[in-house]
Amino acid sequence: MIGLVLNAFGNALSVSANAGSGIWTAAAVNIAYWIHGNVGVILLIVGVLSALLNQILIHQIDIPRFVGEVAFISCFSYFIDVFVSMFGKWGVPNLSLGWRMLLSIVGVTIFASSISIYQRANLIMHPNDDTSNILRFMYLGGRATASQLVDFIPPIIMIAVCYIATRQFYSVNVGTLYSIIFNGVIIAAADKHIMPHLYHNFRVSH
């Protein structure tokens, strides 16, 4: 629960600051502009598809894992709405560009740290983060940075396709670049320094 709330808080802060958000969120925003859809619905669809992909990656059907990930997305979306509304009332979207860039980076740092917490607990997590966790321990020898970079390939492709179609980048800025470069580094550091007593509890089956 701590990881879930912190993740939503960090994502909402970077979205409200409007100076670049996490790469998966940015991909959803670009798709929404392209097809004139709802960002929340697109994030939900992408999340469900990621949850299905995870079933393939672990080479078995794990219903509790799938249900938990879909439940996580639903709660995550609710908390993001709450925090975005709160930051709006606090005037975050109206701050100067410098402050918004700083807050976007802070937001990315917070949600990357939160990912470390619930990946180690390994009870339920965001499907995209479970994908990187599976890649990290089943395919990439425990390397957090490598797993994050591989996990970022699909949204980068999505953004590139959307740019070809619309000739515009949306929600891509300093926060997005910071997320791409440092997400894995922050997660690896958080593993050691945030709740260090919480060890990785990775297992294939729930």
Side-chain angles (χ1 to χ4, degrees), residues 52-177:
L52 290 170
L53 172 63
N54 293 339
Q55 302 287 299
I56 297 170
L57 290 174
I58 63 174
H59 309 300
Q60 60 180 267
I61 296 173
D62 187 342
I63 299 300
R65 189 188 212 110
F66 180 81
V67 171
E69 289 175 3
V70 173
F72 187 103
I73 298 171
S74 303
C75 296
F76 178 71
S77 300
Y78 169 76
F79 281 117
I80 278 190
D81 285 342
V82 170
F83 288 133
V84 165
S85 175
M86 180 182 75
F87 290 133
K89 291 176 181 176
W90 289 357
V92 169
N94 303 319
L95 293 172
S96 65
L97 179 60
W99 278 109
R100 289 190 291 108
M101 291 171 68
L102 177 61
L103 288 175
S104 184
I105 289 172
V106 170
V108 171
T109 303
I110 290 171
F111 77 65
S113 300
S114 77
I115 291 169
S116 164
I117 295 171
Y118 60 67
Q119 279 186 337
R120 279 178 285 159
N122 196 29
L123 296 173
I124 64 169
M125 66 181 84
H126 194 291
N128 297 142
D129 299 322
D130 194 25
T131 302
S132 66
N133 214 31
I134 292 166
L135 290 170
R136 177 179 179 179
F137 290 103
M138 290 185 67
Y139 297 91
L140 296 169
R143 290 174 291 168
T145 302
S147 67
Q148 283 293 305
L149 291 175
V150 172
D151 188 50
F152 286 162
I153 292 173
I156 289 172
I157 292 173
M158 291 178 201
I159 291 171
V161 170
C162 290
Y163 176 77
I164 292 169
T166 65
R167 295 295 172 184
Q168 292 283 339
F169 282 124
Y170 298 98
S171 202
V172 176
N173 204 312
V174 63
T176 315
L177 297 177

